[in-house]
Amino acid sequence: MIDARDVTKRFGEGASAVTALERVSLHVPEGSFFTLLGPSGCGKTTLLRLIAGFELPSEGEIALDGEVIGHLPPNKRPVNTVFQNYALFPHMSVARNIGFGLEMLNRPKAEISATVEEMLDLVQLGAFAARRVDQLSGGQQQRVALARALAPRPKVLLLDEPLSALDLKLRKGMQGELKRLQAETGITFVFVTHDQGEALAMSDQIAVMSAGAIQQVGTPEEIYTTPQSRFVADFIGDTNIVPAELLGYEGDKARIRFAGGQAVLANAASATLAPGAVHVAIRPETITVCDAADEAALLHGTVLDSSYFGAGSQMRIRLRGGTEVQAQVAQPSPTGCEVGLIPDTSMLQVLVD
Amino acid sequence: MGQGVEHTLSAAESLRQAAAARSSAQRRRRLFLLLPAVTIIGIFGLAPLSIALLYSFLEPGTYGGVEWVFSTDAYVQFLFERDIFDDSLIFNSAYLQIFARSFGLALFTMCGTLLLGFPVAYFIAARPPEQRNFWLFAITLPFWTNLLIRTYSMLLIVRDEGFLNLTLMKLGVISEPIEMLYTDGAVLVGLVYSFLPFMILPIYASLEKFDFSLLEAGHDLYASRAQVFRHIVIPISRPGIVGGCALVLIPSLGAYITPELLGGGKKLMIGNLIAMQFGSGRNWPFGSAAALILMALVLVAMMISLRAGAEKESRHG
């Protein structure tokens, strides 16, 4: 569907030039809900604007269905955008906003009004066709922006942090709404967000970005359970990042040892790291807490505190090396108690720094 | 019990009275606050207009001023000439031509300022906010100098041995000076120059809050650059365009100094015609009548354009 090949984008000239994207390659499958996730300034919005045509790549090319589109102006691309601030036309009614794209494509009037009707139904705003857009609430404006971008039936819909202006409750509702719209229309969605929860909940695939480069692409589950780099593990949530020693590779597994423990096999994305100090990601829900004297314990530490969260308790433990980790358990050990930790080795992930 | 009811009634009555007193006091205060504005409009707006209306129906005095005799001659004179022998009325289009020429020139001035002013206003509105004040300052800077002086400088630039002709001759573009001064073109340039800020400022005001992401939204929805301009930029800046056009058209209809200096007074404009009646012409009633006819024509033109604007608005909804 969308293929970006070695796309670099620089702003400015000469010495003051800022590189927003550095040789980014990406494949977005047809009909998928694809998310670009990263902190602000990571280049995700720049990548979206390159696909939309608001910016032209400094190097590299972007293709849609095998056809290179990187040089085309936005009005020549079968791609529409939902803007962060919606950018609805304030001097037009809701219906005319939605029909604007088709009007510019010179579609017959009957077709335009039929499509507008259909879109109004799709976003459940049937009663608002004649309203002025400034008479709508934020959530309603959001739906108009969606309907307006979907009305010309683009091959790709780009969404630039569309939910960030909504309050929490509305945002949760719109997440479901967006998933439904994507499934109903079958249009490929490229969604930009800095909210990892949003990305995990909605996406078929996520590309995690940082510093103008793509760190990892995968399904939400892959990104969550097998983060490949320290950045991804850190960004995707409350995972523990613990120092360890890499002894070597055995097949596609890595042999590692935590300080004072025995060697175990952990998952590794690729056998590229030299033996020595590495970081390993351990999910809090994969840790079993045992007696300090237990031979199976790979890590040792002191319980700092624990808090009850309903389905269990969250314990904070300071390891002997000084690193703090969290573990989710059914029965927390008392504060100050020495404990041993047994992580599920099938869920251990060696990280690239 | 009965006493209680009476008591309640009188209490309600006194409350009502108090409220009435309060509202009438409020009304008095409001009128009092309006007084300065009403006084100024009355003295400087309505009174001169009433005097002009009154004078236009009197007879001219021999040495200026008016004779207090009712007459509609001033209005008749606008369209007709009195035959010196038999006193019959003959149609005379001389004054109509002056009006037509003035309207034509004012329309050209309006179009000229719009064509030059819109891009400037758009440019300023597209600057980052901290840079805009500088540009607005630059636009209003000429106002610090008297219009007369600015018009004289213009005269120095466009005359036969002026800056423009000398430069062109030195560059070898022309061998003889082009006669620019005392032409309609010179008057037009002078008017466009003096009224340009009146076009730029209202359009800038309507574009100041313009959300430039709307351009991207339009462009994204298959509109070409020209279509984005036509369907998004123009409609949103329409109030500024209409305001700017009115602010340029109306005063340039009555412009006096510019046609006098740059046009050499060779061809009369309304402003010069009216000024003449109060000076060498010594025909105050006719001057007043010409001024009122001009005002009536402007009012009619404005009402038509306002109605057209309102219809357009309601059609688009």
Side-chain angles (χ1 to χ4, degrees), chain A residues 49 75 77 80-81 88 91, chain B residues 213-214 216 219-220 222 231:
Chain A
R49 291 173 61 81
N75 55 327
R77 301 185 186 201
N80 291 135
T81 308
L88 298 176
H91 56 295
Chain B
S213 66
L214 294 182
E216 287 190 343
H219 213 27
D220 186 59
Y222 312 108
H231 293 288

Side-chain angles (χ1 to χ4, degrees), chain A residues 49 54 74-75 77 79-81 83 85 87-92 101 104-105 148 152, chain B residues 211 213-214 216-225 227 231-232 235-236 313 316-317:
Chain A
R49 291 173 61 81
F54 301 135
N75 55 327
R77 301 185 186 201
V79 170
N80 291 135
T81 308
F83 292 84
N85 65 349
L88 298 176
F89 305 127
H91 56 295
M92 297 179 191
M104 291 301 110
L105 288 169
R148 184 180 71 173
Chain B
D211 175 3
S213 66
L214 294 182
E216 287 190 343
H219 213 27
D220 186 59
L221 290 161
Y222 312 108
S224 64
R225 284 183 191 284
Q227 284 172 318
H231 293 288
I232 297 164
I236 289 177
E313 191 83 345
H316 274 284

Side-chain angles (χ1 to χ4, degrees), chain B residues 25-316:
Chain B
Q26 251 169 9
R27 206 175 307 134
R28 264 202 303 277
R29 195 164 62 223
R30 211 173 298 149
L31 280 180
F32 183 72
L33 286 173
L34 278 175
L35 208 57
V38 171
T39 311
I40 286 178
I41 293 172
I43 293 178
F44 296 107
L46 289 178
L49 211 57
S50 317
I51 293 172
L53 187 66
L54 180 65
Y55 277 20
S56 71
F57 286 105
L58 296 175
E59 282 190 356
T62 321
Y63 303 104
V66 287
E67 296 283 340
W68 288 85
V69 180
F70 176 80
S71 160
T72 54
D73 274 1
Y75 293 94
V76 174
Q77 195 187 342
F78 187 74
L79 290 177
F80 301 100
E81 213 169 14
R82 224 173 257 283
D83 193 291
I84 16 174
F85 298 110
D86 59 7
D87 240 17
S88 63
L89 294 171
I90 305 159
F91 179 71
N92 174 8
S93 66
Y95 296 124
L96 276 182
Q97 278 173 25
I98 293 174
F99 267 59
R101 190 186 307 135
S102 296
F103 265 99
L105 197 62
L107 280 174
F108 272 109
T109 306
M110 188 184 86
C111 295
T113 50
L114 183 60
L115 287 178
L116 288 174
F118 193 93
V120 176
Y122 187 87
F123 169 84
I124 299 174
R127 293 308 95 195
E130 65 274 11
Q131 285 176 24
R132 292 180 193 166
N133 279 343
F134 165 78
W135 291 105
L136 290 177
F137 172 76
I139 297 294
T140 46
L141 195 61
F143 278 98
W144 294 22
T145 313
N146 185 288
L147 174 65
L148 198 58
I149 294 171
R150 280 186 281 142
T151 310
Y152 266 116
S153 334
M154 189 71 93
L155 193 145
L156 293 177
I157 293 171
V158 299
R159 66 181 178 160
D160 285 1
E161 55 279 8
F163 173 75
L164 207 56
N165 270 319
L166 287 182
T167 316
L168 286 176
M169 271 154 70
K170 240 177 215 157
L171 288 173
V173 182
I174 50 170
S175 55
E176 300 223 323
I178 305 172
E179 201 184 320
M180 287 182 268
L181 193 56
Y182 307 138
T183 60
D184 284 350
V187 178
L188 181 63
V189 169
L191 286 174
V192 167
Y193 164 69
S194 14
F195 288 116
L196 192 55
F198 294 103
M199 185 61 88
I200 294 176
L201 294 175
I203 296 178
Y204 165 73
S206 67
L207 284 175
E208 193 190 356
K209 298 261 158 58
F210 186 73
D211 175 3
F212 283 88
S213 66
L214 294 182
L215 303 184
E216 287 190 343
H219 213 27
D220 186 59
L221 290 161
Y222 312 108
S224 64
R225 284 183 191 284
Q227 284 172 318
V228 166
F229 188 71
R230 202 180 121 214
H231 293 288
I232 297 164
V233 181
I234 294 280
I236 289 177
S237 56
R238 180 170 287 134
I241 294 174
V242 171
C245 285
L247 281 181
V248 169
L249 183 70
I250 295 167
S252 62
L253 267 176
Y256 169 67
I257 292 177
T258 313
E260 185 77 22
L261 291 182
L262 295 177
K266 279 198 297 191
K267 288 180 179 164
L268 277 179
M269 298 292 158
I270 304 177
N272 310 81
L273 173 71
I274 294 172
M276 215 166 89
Q277 301 313 314
F278 289 93
S280 58
R282 285 185 197 153
N283 193 343
W284 290 21
F286 182 60
S288 306
L292 288 170
I293 291 168
L294 174 63
M295 204 175 102
L297 289 175
V298 169
L299 274 176
V300 168
M302 276 200 17
M303 270 159 65
I304 291 172
S305 79
L306 277 180
R307 185 157 305 166
E311 261 168 34
K312 189 150 192 153
E313 191 83 345
S314 66
R315 245 186 302 128
H316 274 284

Side-chain angles (χ1 to χ4, degrees), chain A residues 13-77:
Chain A
E13 295 283 322
S16 62
V18 177
T19 305
L21 286 177
E22 181 80 61
R23 298 180 68 81
V24 166
S25 295
L26 186 71
H27 172 75
V28 178
E30 177 149 17
S32 66
F33 196 117
F34 194 96
T35 298
L36 300 173
L37 173 68
S40 61
C42 71
K44 58 190 191 298
T45 296
T46 304
L47 184 53
L48 195 81
R49 291 173 61 81
L50 284 167
I51 299 172
F54 301 135
E55 312 282 354
L56 298 179
S58 309
E59 281 162 40
E61 57 187 33
I62 296 167
L64 179 65
D65 281 343
E67 196 183 329
V68 175
I69 57 160
H71 57 287
L72 293 175
N75 55 327
K76 305 270 189 237
R77 301 185 186 201

